[in-house]
Amino acid sequence: MPIEMPRGLPFSVDTWSVRSQMKRHHFLTHAHKDHSSGILTHSSFPIYCTGLTKSLLLNQYPQLDESLFLRIEVGQSIFIDDPDCEFTVTAFDANHCPGAVMFLFEGSFGSILHTGDCRLTPECLYCLPEKYISKKGIQPTHRLDYVFLDCTFGKFRQPLPCKRSSIQQVINCIWKHPAATVVYLTCDLLGQEDIMVSVSQAFGSKIFVDKVANPELFGALNLTVPEILTQDESSRFHVFDGFPNLYKRAAAKLAEAKANSQPEPLIVRASAQWYACDEEYSCTGSEGKLRFDTVVKDLYGVWHVCYSMHSSREELEWALQLLAPRWVASTTTPSCSAMELDYVKKHCLASRLTPGDPLWKLLDIRVDGDDVSTQCTGKNSPVVERVPAEMVGGESPTKSKNGSFSKLPCTLPLYEGQTVTLFGRARLRIEDSFEKCGQLVSDKIGRELQVEIAREEESDVVKVKQQVEHSSVCGEELSEKDGSKVSSSGAASGSSNNLGENLKRYYRSMNVPVPRPLPSLLKLLDNHKRRTKRRF
Ligand SMILES: [Zn+2]
C-alpha cells in the first residue's frame, strides 16, 4: 500500500484516506488498482494525473466524477499557488505502465521526487533536471532532499532482464512451439501491452480478448493498444487471466486439449511475480528461478518469462548513486524498506538532524533550536535520527471552514532514549496508528507519549518500545474500545510474548510481522551451563 505523505506537505500521492482528503492537492502516479484503492470515496478536487491515467481510471470506475481531475503530462511543469507554500510539480516517465509518471515537487519544503511505481532506467533518470544528476561521480549541483522510492523488488538482488529482452524471450518461446495452435498470453495487467504489441507484430496476428467476459480489460486495451484487438475467437493468440487460480485453469486447459486429442496449447506468463513470490508453484526450485535469461516451464505447464515493471535492487542502488538524495523512503509498505538499501545505510542513516534541517518543516514541526541541537548531538544518538514524539503522536492538522489548515502548537517534548527513524515510521505506517490514537486522545494533547522504533535488524526482529506516561493516553483508551486490556508498557521488551493482544492484532492489520521473541538471556546461559556440565 502507498504511504501517506508527511503532514507538512500540502499534497498527497496515491492515497485516498481520510487523512489524505485533508490535503489540498492530490496526485495519482498511475492507474494500477493498489494505487487508486479508495478513490471512489474521494471527493476532494483536484487530482492531478496524466490524461491516459484518468481515462484508464474512468474505465475501471465509471462512476468517478471526471471534473475532479486536472491533467499533467510527461515533461509538463505546473506551478501551484498554495496558500501555505507555493510549489512546482513536474511529471516524468516512470517506465512502469501506460500513463505512469514520477512527480518532482519543488518548493519551500525542498525538492522531492516521488517515483510512484517505476522501472528506473538511464532514459528515465536523465530526463530529470540536470542539476539533480551526478556527473562522473561528482555530486549533483542541487541535491534532491527526499526521494520516495518504489522498493517493491528492493530485496531482489539478482539482475532483472530489461523489458525488451523479456519480450524477446516470449517471442522466442512462441517460435519454438509451432505446433501450438492456441497461445494463451497471461498479459491482463496494465503495463503488459508492449508484450502483446510485439507478439502481434512478430506473428502478424491480432489478439483475442473477450469483450463480454472481460469488459474492463477490453476497455483498457482499447484505450492503449486498440490496433491489436480482435473479437475473432479463432485467432491463435488469446489473453489469459493471470488471476485468480492461474495454475488450476492452465492445467485444466492442457487436460482439455489432451482429452480432445488437440495439440497442446502454449501458456506463457510474463511476470516477475513467479520469480519473486510464487514459491509453491515452482517445479524447478530456486535454481530454475535464477534463470532469468530463458523461459522456464513449471509443474502445471505454464511457461514463465521474467518481465518486471519494477526496478531490481541493482537498479535502485544505481539510481540512488546517480541522484545522491539526502533522504530516501519507500513509497509502499511493507514489502521492502528503503533502509535496507546500501545507499541508504551508507549515506542516510548516518546523518544527523540539525535544527535548520528542512525535514522539520516537511513534518510540520516547529523546532526549538536549542532542544534539537542538544538532542541531535547527544551521546545517545549514535546512528538513528532523533525525532520528537509530537511527530508520531500529535494530532493531524485540521481544516478550517475556509479550507486553510490550522496548525497545532508543536512544542518539542523530547525524551532521553527516544528514537524514531523516518524510515521506520514510513515502513510501519506508524503515523496511521497514532492517528487512530490521536482521535482518542484529541483532548489530551500535552501528555507524554514516547515511542521507539528501532531499526529492523537483519534477523527481521522489529523492536517496538512504547511508553505512555500518565494514566490513559493510548493503551487504556484502546482497551476500553476493544473491551480488552492492553498494557501500555508491555511492548517494551521487543518480544511478542510481551505484546498485548491488541498490539499483535494491530501489527497483523498493518501486514507487519509480529515481532518474534528475542531469546532469553537466562535461558541461553542455562543451556550453556548444561552443555558445559555434559562435557565434563
Ligand atoms: Zn503499479
Side-chain angles (χ1 to χ4, degrees):
M1 287 298 291
I3 62 160
E4 300 281 354
M5 287 293 95
R7 75 171 60 153
L9 295 174
F11 56 82
S12 64
V13 182
D14 293 350
T15 54
W16 314 100
S17 60
V18 174
R19 185 185 180 86
S20 59
Q21 285 257 25
M22 291 160 66
K23 305 273 190 179
R24 287 195 197 88
H25 318 276
H26 312 280
F27 292 85
L28 175 63
T29 58
H30 65 291
H32 278 154
K33 285 188 175 170
D34 53 335
H35 290 251
S36 61
S37 168
I39 202 168
L40 274 181
T41 58
H42 188 89
S43 55
S44 179
F45 173 86
I47 301 171
Y48 292 89
C49 63
T50 60
L52 184 52
T53 294
K54 174 186 162 186
S55 302
L56 289 164
L57 215 62
L58 290 169
N59 175 58
Q60 291 167 18
Y61 310 110
Q63 60 275 54
L64 256 181
D65 182 357
E66 256 192 87
S67 64
L68 290 176
F69 293 87
L70 280 181
R71 224 173 126 172
I72 180 168
E73 298 299 341
V74 169
Q76 188 184 353
S77 291
I78 295 179
F79 174 74
I80 295 173
D81 189 13
D82 184 85
D84 273 350
C85 56
E86 50 191 40
F87 64 96
T88 302
V89 58
T90 312
F92 296 91
D93 180 26
N95 188 31
H96 180 62
C97 70
V101 287
M102 310 189 277
F103 290 115
L104 173 66
F105 301 95
E106 295 165 295
S108 57
F109 44 73
S111 50
I112 299 173
L113 178 67
H114 193 296
T115 67
D117 281 354
C118 63
R119 177 86 197 259
L120 294 174
T121 59
E123 295 82 53
C124 290
L125 291 172
Y126 283 110
C127 284
L128 292 169
E130 224 181 309
K131 61 182 180 181
Y132 294 126
I133 307 281
S134 299
K135 277 192 195 115
K136 294 176 185 167
I138 299 169
Q139 276 198 351
T141 50
H142 291 73
R143 287 184 76 187
L144 286 166
D145 290 299
Y146 317 97
V147 171
F148 288 86
L149 187 67
D150 171 16
C151 298
T152 304
F153 289 154
K155 285 182 177 169
F156 215 53
R157 286 191 175 268
Q158 299 89 335
L160 296 170
C162 67
K163 287 182 179 178
R164 214 177 315 131
S165 156
S166 303
I167 290 171
Q168 195 53 51
Q169 285 181 43
V170 173
I171 290 171
N172 291 347
C173 181
I174 299 169
W175 277 123
K176 285 177 185 167
H177 293 84
T181 50
V182 183
V183 177
Y184 293 105
L185 300 166
T186 49
C187 295
D188 58 333
L189 186 65
L190 186 64
Q192 295 178 316
E193 300 76 8
D194 288 350
I195 304 168
M196 287 191 275
V197 170
S198 297
V199 168
S200 177
Q201 286 171 350
F203 296 93
S205 170
K206 294 199 175 190
I207 295 169
F208 172 70
V209 179
D210 194 332
K211 189 179 179 177
V212 180
N214 210 338
E216 192 179 307
L217 175 64
F218 184 86
L221 292 172
N222 209 25
L223 284 165
T224 51
V225 286
E227 69 279 7
I228 63 156
L229 295 182
T230 180
Q231 287 298 290
D232 179 2
E233 209 170 338
S234 68
S235 168
R236 186 185 179 205
F237 299 98
H238 290 219
V239 167
F240 198 62
D241 287 345
F243 185 84
N245 304 320
L246 167 68
Y247 301 100
K248 270 188 194 165
R249 286 185 289 107
K253 280 277 180 205
L254 294 168
E256 187 189 323
K258 202 172 182 183
N260 295 330
S261 307
Q262 288 168 342
E264 187 174 284
L266 179 66
I267 304 169
V268 186
R269 186 189 191 198
S271 165
Q273 184 79 16
W274 183 73
Y275 295 85
C277 313
D278 295 354
E279 285 295 335
E280 69 270 37
Y281 298 116
S282 164
C283 64
T284 47
S286 54
E287 277 179 31
K289 284 193 173 192
L290 292 176
R291 297 176 60 194
F292 292 163
D293 56 339
T294 185
V295 290
V296 181
K297 191 180 185 182
D298 70 22
L299 274 177
Y300 300 83
V302 177
W303 290 86
H304 293 270
V305 172
C306 184
Y307 179 87
S308 177
M309 291 185 269
H310 300 274
S311 309
S312 66
R313 178 170 185 143
E314 188 185 38
E315 289 161 350
L316 293 177
E317 296 285 7
W318 172 81
L320 290 176
Q321 289 293 340
L322 193 75
L323 299 175
R326 295 178 58 242
W327 295 85
V328 186
S330 176
T331 52
T332 53
T333 183
S335 62
C336 177
S337 160
M339 65 186 282
E340 290 167 32
L341 298 174
D342 294 339
Y343 175 89
V344 177
K345 284 177 188 164
K346 193 171 170 192
H347 299 281
C348 303
L349 292 182
S351 63
R352 303 275 201 298
L353 289 177
T354 61
D357 197 290
L359 180 67
W360 301 114
K361 189 163 184 180
L362 187 83
L363 298 170
D364 197 18
I365 293 169
R366 198 160 60 220
V367 179
D368 177 331
D370 290 342
D371 280 354
V372 175
S373 175
T374 307
Q375 292 294 330
C376 288
T377 55
K379 290 173 202 161
N380 298 328
S381 56
V383 179
V384 288
E385 304 76 17
R386 289 181 168 274
V387 177
E390 189 284 332
M391 169 180 141
V392 291
E395 279 200 321
S396 313
T398 50
K399 218 173 191 176
S400 65
K401 278 178 193 165
N402 64 9
S404 65
F405 286 84
S406 60
K407 290 181 184 170
L408 294 167
C410 301
T411 54
L412 280 178
L414 291 162
Y415 306 94
E416 276 305 314
Q418 171 194 354
T419 48
V420 175
T421 67
L422 173 67
F423 309 103
R425 194 171 118 280
R427 179 192 183 115
L428 295 175
R429 304 188 66 188
I430 203 73
E431 231 174 351
D432 285 358
S433 73
F434 284 95
E435 193 176 47
K436 286 174 200 160
C437 295
Q439 287 161 8
L440 293 167
V441 298
S442 58
D443 59 342
K444 295 171 184 170
I445 296 170
R447 292 188 177 181
E448 297 173 350
L449 178 64
Q450 183 176 350
V451 176
E452 175 179 326
I453 300 175
R455 289 173 52 197
E456 184 165 343
E457 299 297 336
E458 283 188 2
S459 61
D460 263 339
V461 175
V462 179
K463 188 178 169 189
V464 176
K465 184 190 273 184
Q466 184 178 43
Q467 288 180 0
V468 183
E469 292 190 9
H470 298 289
S471 56
S472 58
V473 177
C474 278
E476 288 179 22
E477 291 280 358
L478 279 172
S479 307
E480 282 165 26
K481 206 181 174 196
D482 294 357
S484 60
K485 183 78 182 166
V486 173
S487 163
S488 59
S489 59
S493 74
S495 156
S496 64
N497 291 340
N498 296 329
L499 291 178
E501 270 310 309
N502 281 0
L503 198 49
K504 282 186 191 173
R505 262 205 301 277
Y506 168 68
Y507 271 102
R508 290 182 195 119
S509 74
M510 302 305 290
N511 290 327
V512 174
V514 176
R516 277 180 261 153
L518 293 169
S520 153
L521 261 182
L522 285 174
K523 226 177 187 177
L524 286 174
L525 277 171
D526 231 30
N527 289 345
H528 178 71
K529 272 182 203 163
R530 249 181 270 139
R531 273 201 305 273
T532 318
K533 270 182 196 167
R534 243 180 267 143
R535 240 179 268 155
F536 294 104

